[in-house]
Amino acid sequence: MLDKLQKKWKVNGVQLALILCTFAIGGSLTGYIGRKLMPFFGIESKILWLVVYILLITIIWPMAVVVVSVFFGQYKFFSAYLKKMGLRMGLVKHPMVPPPVPAKKEEPMKSIAIMASGKGSNAQNIIDYFHSQTEKRIMVGLLISNNPMAGLNAIAEKEHIPLLSISKESFAGGKILVEYLKNYNIDLIVLAGFLLKVPASVIHFFPDKIINIHPALLPLHGGKGMYGHHVHEAVLNKKETQSGITIHYVDEAYDHGRFILQITCPVLETDTPELLAQRVKQLEHEHYPKTIEQLLQ
Ligand code: GRF
């Protein structure tokens, strides 16, 4: 159970303990403040008292945990956590950041868009790869994220690359996405840990121009729900002797389109999902930028 939380929140053991302490103390503080404030309302009816009390602690709780989190050094985690909850409950609106006017592409410069929902190590690696080239023929012209908490948001700021932050609903419509990709003259759309299904309308609009990387040897261990540690756990559970990466075109099914490249690596008996993930990630970082480059040549 604690292991699962650690993985879900991507924290180490110490941080998890501090987070749980924050929840516990924040919760107790909320109850305490709530009870102290209730007499000021002078409510007689028991039911009304309960309703007001629940409303009150719902308001106090986020403030209490944020205050306590500062003392436990977990402010960053809790501000992101509350923002995520707010988004899920529809209390906070998804920030749809309109990117600035696209930079003019100098011919024969090619431009790619990277879409990511998670940490963004592949996105950063692709950006670094094309930055480091003396002859600049390919640029990362647009970043697209459906998750305001994704690493891509910070990367966009740091690298000064326009970011389209799009909600799940707007993304599913496809129209906004097509509009941006057209406006930015995107030649190739690169999925790097993007968890939403690309709408059929977008796939039809950009035939053979959308690619994805999967951290296993497809068709094994792919499909809906197969992402991140789930993939590596499945590989280990099946006692596979090798794993690797698959770079493929995107079609209407998850992890299904035509293969472009597969590279293997061994699975060791001593592997944990984390160790295997590291080995596979190295392959991703080595081969994904080169494959993009070859496809655009
Ligand atoms: C990678 O393992 C990739 O194969 C998969 O999503 C992961 C993204 O990792 N599609 P990162 O966010 O780029 O580190």
Side-chain angles (χ1 to χ4, degrees), residues 95 117 140 257 297:
S117 316
V140 179
Q297 263 160 12

Side-chain angles (χ1 to χ4, degrees), residues 15 74 83 95 152 198 211 218 250 268:
Q15 212 184 337
Q74 299 306 316
K83 206 167 157 192
L152 215 55
V198 181
I211 64 168
L218 291 175
V250 170
L268 308 179

Side-chain angles (χ1 to χ4, degrees), residues 16-43:
L16 181 67
L18 292 170
I19 289 169
L20 294 179
C21 286
T22 307
F23 270 121
I25 297 174
S28 312
L29 194 64
T30 304
Y32 176 79
I33 299 173
R35 281 192 303 277
K36 286 279 170 207
L37 289 177
M38 280 313 285
F40 291 107
F41 294 98
I43 299 168

Side-chain angles (χ1 to χ4, degrees), residues 4 7 195 214-216 221-237 273:
K4 275 194 182 156
K7 270 183 194 153
L195 295 184
H214 187 75
H221 314 299
K224 195 166 167 34
M226 285 308 248
Y227 61 89
H229 64 92
H230 300 292
V231 179
H232 306 297
E233 276 164 7
V235 170
L236 292 177
N237 287 341

Side-chain angles (χ1 to χ4, degrees), residues 118-123 192-193 212-215 281 284:
K119 206 168 144 216
S121 78
N122 275 286
N212 180 42
I213 187 161
H214 187 75
K281 195 62 73 78
E284 295 184 354

Side-chain angles (χ1 to χ4, degrees), residues 181 186-189 199-211 249-251 258:
L181 294 168
I186 296 300
D187 299 288
L188 189 71
I189 302 148
S201 58
V202 180
I203 296 172
H204 293 151
F205 214 95
F206 298 95
D208 285 350
K209 282 191 175 176
I210 312 177
I211 64 168
Y249 288 105
V250 170
D251 68 9
R258 228 166 60 244

